[in-house]
């Protein structure tokens, strides 16, 4: 049963596509079908079997006017030909057919082509404006009353009305049902297209977010480690002539810093690496840095010449890994800027305070705030810190300290969504 239904569904889809390409074919086919099924029998009956006509008239106890062949052809054309534009101009087609229908019954003539009026009502319910439908129903009801009165010698008026109005109601109901079904299908197609568009937008947004995240990670890793390497290289070159052992120590520290940077880069880029067959491989990852790694970070910066005093206040171990990574990267960026602009020998006070509802990071140094360059305008560093802080509803401020030097303060919100801990 399933393949048969699928075959019919495919055939229906092909017919709909062909109809959209050439709508006149279906309109013409409907007219031809009505002509063959309803007009041709009247023409054949008109041309012969006169005795049969007399028997029929005697049987039904009423006689209808026998119109000339030319009049029959004219009435049939007036009833059927407007169906050619029943989809493009459904109200006009219904009106034209209704006028010919009333004229025909006013002449006391019976034609099988009257079925065109029901087809026109169906088409109006399906394709026309719904606000015009009550007027068409009123015209249809008046026409059915006229027919019931004309056939009253043979059939009860109420029986005739019941049959005729039931047929008209069926045509109207079928048209409205098909219209509703098509509207539902159109709504489903529109919703599917909208969902597909939203899905593509979410994919693009997720891609842009991931690129921004990787860019921030790359900036923090490369910027910090290169700053340390450059400072150590300058110090090693200076110490080569005066203290060769210090130069050797600087080279060893450069190697350690480079290996650390390479490991972090592999960790960040590992999540982007895919196999050639499209299957994502499990990258060799190391844990994301957290608050416990800030001391190691400070040791590395101390080797480059900064004097750092680091302390924490509160339950730092209770923070989640995402928050700890954010704190680590903000501290890393701030120390990198201090190393770039303040230079070796600068004293830095680093404090991380964990409260009930917020976390505060304070980085303050005694280096120059002006001649070495305004650190608040250094590329994407401050922007990256603010983006990371914004993920936790926080803010970052940076500028010259009141008593000299440079100060950076970041405030992160520890209150979960919903306002409860």
């Amino acid at each position: 049963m399933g393949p048969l239904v699928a075959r019919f569904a495919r055939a229906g889809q092909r017919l709909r596509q062909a109809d959209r390409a050439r709508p006149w074919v279906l309109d013409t086919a409907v007219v031809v079908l009505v002509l063959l099924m309803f007009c041709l029998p009247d023409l054949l009956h008109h041309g012969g079997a006169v005795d049969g006509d007399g028997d029929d008239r005697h049987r039904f106890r009423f006689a209808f006017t026998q119109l000339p062949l030319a009049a029959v052809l004219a009435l049939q054309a007036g009833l059927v030909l407007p169906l050619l534009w029943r989809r493009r101009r459904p109200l006009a087609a219904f009106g034209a057919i209704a006028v010919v229908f009333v004229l025909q019954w006013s002449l006391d003539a019976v034609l099988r082509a009257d079925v065109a009026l029901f087809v026109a009502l169906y088409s109006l319910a399906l394709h026309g404006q719904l606000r015009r439908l009550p007027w068409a129903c009123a015209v249809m009801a008046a026409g059915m009353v006229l027919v019931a009165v004309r056939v009253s010698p043979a059939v009860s008026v109420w029986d005739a009305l019941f049959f005729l109005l039931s047929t008209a109601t069926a045509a109207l109901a079928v048209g409205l049902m098909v219209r509703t079904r098509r509207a539902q299908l159109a709504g489903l197609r529109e919703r599917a297209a909208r969902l597909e568009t939203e899905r593509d937008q979410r994919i693009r947004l997720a891609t842009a977010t991931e690129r921004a995240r990787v860019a921030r990670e790359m900036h923090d890793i490369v910027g910090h480690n290169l700053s340390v390497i450059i400072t150590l290289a300058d110090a090693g070159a200076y110490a080569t002539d005066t203290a060769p052992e210090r130069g050797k120590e600087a080279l060893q520290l450069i190697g350690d810093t480079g290996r650390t940077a390479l490991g972090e880069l592999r960790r960040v880029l590992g999540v982007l690496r895919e196999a050639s067959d499209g299957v994502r491989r499990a990258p060799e990852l190391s844990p994301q840095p957290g608050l416990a790694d800030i001391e190691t970070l400070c040791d590395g910066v101390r080797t480059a010449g900064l004097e750092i005093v680091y302390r924490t206040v509160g339950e730092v171990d209770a923070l989640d890994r995402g928050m700890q990574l954010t704190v680590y990267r903000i501290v890393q960026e701030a120390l990198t800027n201090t190393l770039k602009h303040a230079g070796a020998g600068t004293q830095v006070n680093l404090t991380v305070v964990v409260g009930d509802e917020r976390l505060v990071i304070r980085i303050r140094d005694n280096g120059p705030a002006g001649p070495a360059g305004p650190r608040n305008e250094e590329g994407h560093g401050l922007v990256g810190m603010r983006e990371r802080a914004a993920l936790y509803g926080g803010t970052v401020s940076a500028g010259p300290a009141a008593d000299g030097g440079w100060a950076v303060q970041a405030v992160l919100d520890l209150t979960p969504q919903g306002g409860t801990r």
Side-chain angles (χ1 to χ4, degrees), residues 269-342:
L269 299 178
V271 298
L272 304 179
R273 187 181 301 117
E274 294 184 355
S276 59
D277 57 359
V279 179
R280 186 181 294 275
R281 295 173 180 171
E284 298 179 1
L285 301 177
S286 60
Q288 293 274 23
L291 286 176
D293 300 294
I294 292 182
E295 188 62 47
T296 304
L297 175 66
C298 292
D299 291 338
V301 178
R302 288 188 185 103
T303 60
L306 294 184
E307 299 177 9
I308 302 177
V309 177
Y310 169 53
R311 66 188 183 93
T312 61
V313 179
E315 300 179 0
V316 295
D317 295 334
L319 300 175
D320 61 77
R321 296 298 301 176
M323 177 70 74
Q324 292 193 35
L325 175 62
T326 298
V327 174
Y328 180 89
R329 292 305 187 196
I330 291 176
V331 171
Q332 184 183 50
E333 181 61 35
L335 294 180
T336 301
N337 287 340
T338 300
L339 187 62
K340 286 180 181 179
H341 299 280

Side-chain angles (χ1 to χ4, degrees), residues 82 85 89-97:
W85 64 84
R89 298 288 187 272
L91 183 61
F94 177 83
I97 295 175

